[in-house]
Amino acid sequence: MGFEKHAVGRVLIRTKIRRALWNCVSFFLFRPFVTKFFRVWRVALLKIFGAKLAWDAEVYSSVKIWAPWKLQMGHRACLGPNVICYNQDWVILEDDVVVSQYAYLCTASHEVDKLNTANDSLITAPIRIRNKAWIGTKAFIGLGVCIGTAAVVGATASVYKNVDDYHVVGGNPAKTLKIRNLK
């Protein structure tokens, strides 16, 4: 038990150091480079910090990424302006995914059955957004959620459960509004 606790402590310290370094790099070398001309520069910085990104992915300079080493983006995937990617666990965006401005991708929460909200109650689960899905402005995607292929999450929707392929969802909590009939 003592060894496990010591190993977990080392991982936490290492994560805090990596995060501090990323926050400095992000502030000075990522966020100031705002134009599309610097898209490849931003992708390169994220790759240096362990992100698995296709070179044609788009990450706006105003995006806030908690841990680049837990971010994966496919071809032409886009994290739009002012997106918050709180990725204590993996966030995976497949090809042609669009996450619109001010969306919030949140892979962590706390166990609600515990009174304490310290680190011992922290829970995480990955978010996966499948090919050609679109996340609308100011949408919230919760931990452990998978957004299906070509699904659409409407503006301001709050998604706590998986969304099936081709479904259009909206509201809080998000419910299916219709099924896309792509021609």
Side-chain angles (χ1 to χ4, degrees):
M1 178 90 159
F3 175 74
E4 289 175 8
K5 200 170 197 176
H6 187 66
V8 169
R10 274 187 278 151
V11 169
L12 287 174
I13 290 169
R14 193 172 23 210
T15 299
K16 287 180 181 186
I17 291 168
R18 286 173 85 183
R19 287 221 353 93
L21 184 58
W22 165 246
N23 285 333
C24 290
V25 168
S26 177
F27 185 79
F28 291 108
L29 299 175
F30 186 87
R31 295 179 69 80
F33 295 90
V34 296
T35 66
K36 291 227 185 232
F37 179 76
F38 293 105
R39 182 189 60 77
V40 173
W41 168 255
R42 291 189 298 271
V43 169
L45 282 175
L46 289 167
K47 283 177 166 273
I48 289 168
F49 275 85
K52 297 174 182 171
L53 274 64
W55 281 105
D56 58 352
E58 174 78 36
V59 180
Y60 280 72
S61 66
S62 57
V63 171
K64 292 181 182 166
I65 299 167
W66 195 84
W69 49 93
K70 291 192 176 183
L71 176 63
Q72 181 177 330
M73 294 176 67
H75 294 286
R76 299 167 303 282
C78 176
L79 286 175
N82 298 295
V83 166
I84 296 174
C85 184
Y86 186 56
N87 57 334
Q88 289 202 35
D89 207 320
W90 280 94
V91 168
I92 301 167
L93 281 61
E94 294 181 0
D95 296 344
D96 300 303
V97 166
V98 174
V99 179
S100 297
Q101 62 272 20
Y102 298 101
Y104 197 115
L105 308 175
C106 184
T107 64
S109 187
H110 293 275
E111 291 183 62
V112 295
D113 293 331
K114 288 189 176 183
L115 292 175
N116 184 346
T117 58
N119 284 339
D120 63 336
S121 69
L122 182 71
I123 55 174
T124 67
I127 291 173
R128 177 178 220 102
I129 305 176
R130 301 249 181 223
N131 293 319
K132 296 179 177 35
W134 176 21
I135 309 302
T137 187
K138 295 186 179 179
F140 174 87
I141 310 297
L143 70 157
V145 169
C146 178
I147 306 295
T149 299
V152 176
V153 174
T156 74
S158 295
V159 181
Y160 303 101
K161 294 181 179 177
N162 294 346
V163 175
D164 291 333
D165 295 349
Y166 303 99
H167 281 230
V168 177
V169 300
N172 182 4
K175 293 183 179 9
T176 298
L177 303 175
K178 69 182 245 177
I179 298 174
R180 295 178 83 184
N181 184 9
L182 299 176
K183 295 174 175 64

